[in-house]
Amino acid sequence: MSQQTAFRRAEKQYKARDRRPDLSTVIDLAAIETSNEPRVRRLCLTRDLCTPSALPFRMFTESRPRAYAIHGHPGLIVIPNPFTDESQRWLARKCLCDCTQPPNRTNLDPFFDMPAASLFTLASKPSKRQCAVDSRVQLGIMGPDITQPKDKFYSQPAMPADLLERLRWCTLGWQYNWTTKKYDLGASAFDSMLNELMRSIAVAIGNPASAGGDACSDNSYDGSQFSCQAGIINYYDERTTMAGHVDKTEETMDAPLISLSVGLTCVYLIGGPTRETEPTPLLLHSGDILAMCGESRLAFHGVPRVLANTSPVCLTKPDAGDNDFLADKYPAWRHFAVYLNAHRINCNA
């Protein structure tokens, strides 16, 4: 048997289901002010986080929230939840309803004749009003590059609520072809408000200063040049994991990769240029922003564990979002509350 890599050993440590995960060595930036954590360095943002112009509510609790770098991982910047409660709910609605509609594609599209309406909206209807979605496998209309699925679930019609539990990813903007490993450059435009939000973050994390006020080299990218062309939203239940990998298919590797978390907390591993580098474990909570800049852009990273019962009350209270901006455009918040109580959403661009 070949010797396991450092990254694989760390993954197995947190993925084990026969015991509670040991989080004693995991960095928790939400509690960093009350701990003496030598692996963390405080950063000061030199530019403001700005709310997208089309939104009438405040997106961030402060314009220059605290930010951190992790020793041994140059270019990695983490901002513990700077979002208001309403903006977290806005992001959840955006990821579950707006972004999952055509021409964006999900992991379910190759196997089911997906409707134009969002899967979440259909799944929120009373069961008597839900219509089964036809299986492309059963109809014999799968694409030529699609492998026949082994799971019988994909070979028969399925109800929207059952499909929602199988939703794992949705691609944004340029649609990624998992067979050719290339982008379809003319597929669709990136969501304008998400693009504005991501650009605001890219601007804010540019050229941060040290806690002492001195300039540092964590990210020299000019965020005003940032424009989302492609992205992916990942949907995790409590047993879903993401194996260690490197994202290196983008047109330019100079721009940061920005990641937003909503819902359940996860253990996130950040390694180095190979799987042999010992990864550092972090907790990513709902609302946290993680940006991979510079050297960290090509670092192995993954999610070996999602932690149950960790979503914040602002998401899980059944009526929490009933009076939000444009709430009447979406299903009642109680449906989102049920989903977010048992899932994590990760939006990346």
Side-chain angles (χ1 to χ4, degrees):
M1 181 181 294
S2 61
Q3 186 174 5
Q4 291 182 345
T5 64
F7 202 100
R8 179 59 178 154
R9 287 195 299 272
E11 286 180 314
K12 290 188 68 174
Q13 174 185 344
Y14 295 107
K15 287 174 71 174
R17 291 285 169 181
D18 58 346
R19 58 185 182 276
R20 292 175 61 87
D22 180 6
L23 304 179
S24 59
T25 61
V26 181
I27 297 174
D28 184 2
L29 293 174
I32 204 68
E33 298 297 328
T34 59
S35 66
N36 184 21
E37 177 52 77
R39 295 172 292 176
V40 171
R41 177 166 50 88
R42 178 72 182 267
L43 296 176
C44 295
L45 301 183
T46 58
R47 295 174 176 84
D48 292 346
L49 282 170
C50 298
T51 297
S53 56
L55 295 180
F57 58 87
R58 191 162 57 106
M59 176 146 279
F60 303 105
T61 56
E62 54 185 311
S63 58
R64 296 189 184 182
R66 55 197 174 98
Y68 298 93
I70 310 298
H71 287 297
H73 305 283
L76 186 76
I77 298 175
V78 184
I79 304 176
N81 180 23
F83 291 98
T84 63
D85 291 351
E86 182 170 1
S87 60
Q88 284 199 61
R89 295 190 293 267
W90 173 86
L91 187 58
R93 289 181 172 109
K94 179 71 65 177
C95 291
L96 283 169
C97 294
D98 299 343
C99 292
T100 53
Q101 298 180 65
N104 292 336
R105 301 170 193 158
T106 75
N107 61 295
L108 299 170
D109 282 85
F111 309 110
F112 292 93
D113 190 17
M114 299 299 289
S118 79
L119 187 60
F120 188 87
T121 299
L122 296 175
S124 300
K125 293 181 177 181
S127 56
K128 292 183 179 179
R129 294 178 55 194
Q130 292 187 28
C131 296
V133 179
D134 288 331
S135 164
R136 289 181 176 274
V137 181
Q138 186 182 48
L139 296 175
I141 56 172
M142 281 200 311
D145 299 327
I146 306 302
T147 302
Q148 186 79 14
K150 296 180 180 179
D151 190 336
K152 292 183 179 179
F153 175 85
Y154 297 95
S155 300
Q156 55 195 357
M159 300 303 291
D162 296 324
L163 287 172
L164 184 62
E165 287 303 311
R166 300 282 182 133
L167 180 65
R168 289 295 174 263
W169 53 258
C170 169
T171 46
L172 310 174
W174 292 349
Q175 298 296 295
Y176 189 68
N177 186 314
W178 297 91
T179 301
T180 64
K181 307 299 183 185
K182 294 181 180 180
Y183 285 102
D184 177 0
L185 304 187
S188 65
F190 200 93
D191 183 275
S192 59
M193 281 195 285
L194 269 183
N195 181 54
E196 193 174 346
L197 170 60
M198 293 295 193
R199 182 186 292 118
S200 172
I201 295 170
V203 169
I205 63 175
N207 296 301
S210 67
D214 297 327
C216 50
S217 59
D218 292 272
N219 177 32
S220 59
Y221 179 80
D222 180 4
S224 66
Q225 303 300 310
F226 188 89
S227 180
C228 298
Q229 296 171 325
I232 187 168
I233 302 173
N234 299 114
Y235 305 88
Y236 299 78
D237 62 25
E238 295 169 3
R239 301 186 68 85
T240 306
T241 63
M242 176 71 74
H245 64 285
V246 176
D247 298 297
K248 53 184 179 180
T249 56
E250 286 73 16
E251 186 179 54
T252 173
M253 300 300 290
D254 297 329
L257 178 63
I258 299 172
S259 176
L260 314 177
S261 295
V262 179
L264 295 174
T265 297
C266 77
V267 176
Y268 175 87
L269 296 178
I270 178 67
T274 73
R275 288 188 172 87
E276 299 298 338
T277 303
E278 187 72 33
T280 299
L282 312 172
L283 285 183
L284 290 182
H285 299 282
S286 187
D288 287 356
I289 298 173
L290 182 143
M292 301 176 73
C293 317
E295 289 183 41
S296 72
R297 190 65 182 76
L298 290 173
F300 276 87
H301 56 284
V303 176
R305 191 67 176 252
V306 174
L307 305 177
N309 304 313
T310 53
S311 289
V313 174
C314 69
L315 300 181
T316 59
K317 187 180 177 184
D319 61 351
D322 287 352
N323 297 316
D324 289 347
F325 173 64
L326 293 181
D328 56 352
K329 176 186 172 184
Y330 300 94
W333 184 257
R334 66 180 185 275
H335 300 291
F336 292 93
V338 170
Y339 183 89
L340 293 168
N341 191 51
H343 293 81
R344 172 180 185 257
I345 301 172
N346 178 216
C347 181
N348 309 276

